[in-house]
Structure formats: structure tokens, C-alpha cells
Amino acid sequence: MFFTSLMMPRIDIAAYLWQKFKQGPSAVGYIKALESLTVILVPITPAIGLLTGRFGHAGVTVLCSSLMSACWIGIVDVASMESLYLMVLLRSAISTIYEPSIKSIMMDSARARKREQIGSLAGLQQTMKGMAQVMGSFWGSFLASQDWSAYTPLYLSALWCAANAVIIYYICCSPGASLRPHERGSPKHTVESSSIPPAPRGPHNTKKDA
């Protein structure tokens, strides 16, 4: 999962818009506004809770990664600016749903090992997130320097999103998964009744014979 995030290139949306529709900075502003709007509105809707309750965090992560891959391809193939705005809105909403589920999987991974590793893994996650932003800019600049098509980062993003979905499915959802979540959408863990020690019997809870 960390590997795919490090390989995701930054999208030069200005170059894409100019090559595809001959649109300038105003279109870039509209797209940024749509992305910001979804980040604010999606978390206050019941969408995240409903999906995680139905599919679990691992299932939602696989589903969202697959849909984001399809969205990147759709952005390449759109025929109008209206379709592009709709596709951007959809991809941004899916990404917003994806984020809390992937974080939950990381925390489950730490809890499955040692309690002391939870803080370390959270710090590592933040470090890798920063590295992903740096590497995204690097890959975006590298692809631009090669004078390739502005669509190339979009195709690569679709490829790495699909790879991310396969990796998460193999780790968390397949029959032989090495990491299976303890729950489906709820932060609470089920405790087997046999693992709860019996309450001590004392003078206050000892039943007297009738």
C-alpha cells in the first residue's frame, strides 16, 4: 500500500485541460473548488457509515480503489467540460470515503501485533503521506520533462489504483489473507464469552439454597 502511494504521480491538471479542451486557469479553479466541496460535504453524509457497515473497511477500500481507477480512465475519455466536472466530483467523493477506511486498516494491523506499535505505525503513516506528496511532485515533474502526453499521469494513476485494490484484497479479503479485520465497520471488537474470567464468588453474590 505504501509502495503504490509513493508511485502515484501528481496530475498537472492545467496541462491536461489545455491539451484536452483548450481551457485555462478558470477551469482549474472550478475543479479545485469541486474537490474542496466534496472533502467538506461527504464526511457529514451517512455514506461512509453505510458503506463500512455493509462491506467493512477492507471491502470499502478495495471498492473505492477500483472505482478511482475507473474514474481516472473516465477523466481521459470525457467529451465535455460538464462530464469532466462530474467525473472529478465523483472521484473526489470516492477518495474521501477511501481515506478513513485505509487508516482503520493500518490501525488494525498495529493492534494485531503489539499495543506499543500503534503510535509508531500512526507516525509512519504520516511520514509516508508526506513522502507520497513529495514523490508525487517528483513523478509529475519527471513525466512532464519527458514531453509525454498530459494523459500519461492519468493512466498511471489508474494503474496504481487498480494495483492498490488487488494488494488490499490479497492482504485483507482473500480466503488466505494475512491480515483480516476484526470487525466490519465498527470500532468495537467482539470478545468471546469464554475468554471472560468468571466473577469471584463472595458473600454478596453467593446464591443461598431455598
Side-chain angles (χ1 to χ4, degrees):
M1 290 181 284
F2 286 145
F3 175 76
T4 54
S5 65
L6 292 176
M7 298 300 294
M8 196 79 68
R10 181 181 61 83
I11 307 299
D12 189 349
I13 191 65
Y16 161 79
L17 286 170
W18 182 253
Q19 181 173 330
K20 182 79 173 179
F21 298 108
K22 302 303 181 185
Q23 294 288 329
S26 60
V28 177
Y30 290 141
I31 288 176
K32 295 297 183 183
L34 286 174
E35 291 177 336
S36 301
L37 188 64
T38 55
V39 170
I40 295 172
L41 294 181
V42 170
I44 64 177
T45 68
I48 296 177
L50 290 174
L51 288 172
T52 52
R54 175 65 179 84
F55 301 107
H57 290 298
V60 169
T61 306
V62 173
L63 177 63
C64 288
S65 293
S66 303
L67 291 176
M68 282 192 289
S69 178
C71 285
W72 287 124
I73 299 297
I75 289 174
V76 175
D77 293 335
V78 292
S80 65
M81 286 299 297
E82 290 76 13
S83 299
L84 174 62
Y85 291 145
L86 180 61
M87 195 62 65
V88 168
L89 185 67
L90 181 62
R91 192 214 64 83
S92 183
I94 294 170
S95 178
T96 305
I97 295 172
Y98 168 89
E99 287 295 331
S101 290
I102 192 65
K103 290 178 181 179
S104 178
I105 291 175
M106 297 296 181
M107 292 300 101
D108 274 349
S109 176
R111 281 193 290 263
R113 290 171 175 82
K114 292 181 180 179
R115 181 172 299 179
E116 294 79 6
Q117 292 180 344
I118 296 179
S120 299
L121 190 61
L124 176 63
Q125 185 180 5
Q126 292 299 320
T127 301
M128 295 302 295
K129 186 175 182 180
M131 288 183 62
Q133 293 176 345
V134 173
M135 292 301 296
S137 298
F138 167 77
W139 289 120
S141 301
F142 173 77
L143 294 173
S145 68
Q146 301 303 307
D147 198 25
W148 290 342
S149 169
Y151 302 152
T152 302
L154 298 170
Y155 285 124
L156 289 176
S157 296
L159 174 64
W160 290 121
C161 282
N164 194 48
V166 172
I167 292 171
I168 295 171
Y169 177 82
Y170 178 77
I171 294 175
C172 301
C173 302
S174 63
S178 58
L179 172 62
R180 298 188 67 87
H182 298 296
E183 36 73 28
R184 292 179 61 84
S186 171
K188 298 180 180 180
H189 295 275
T190 302
V191 180
E192 297 292 340
S193 59
S194 60
S195 65
I196 303 176
R201 297 179 65 84
H204 298 288
N205 59 4
T206 303
K207 293 183 179 180
K208 296 183 179 180
D209 296 333

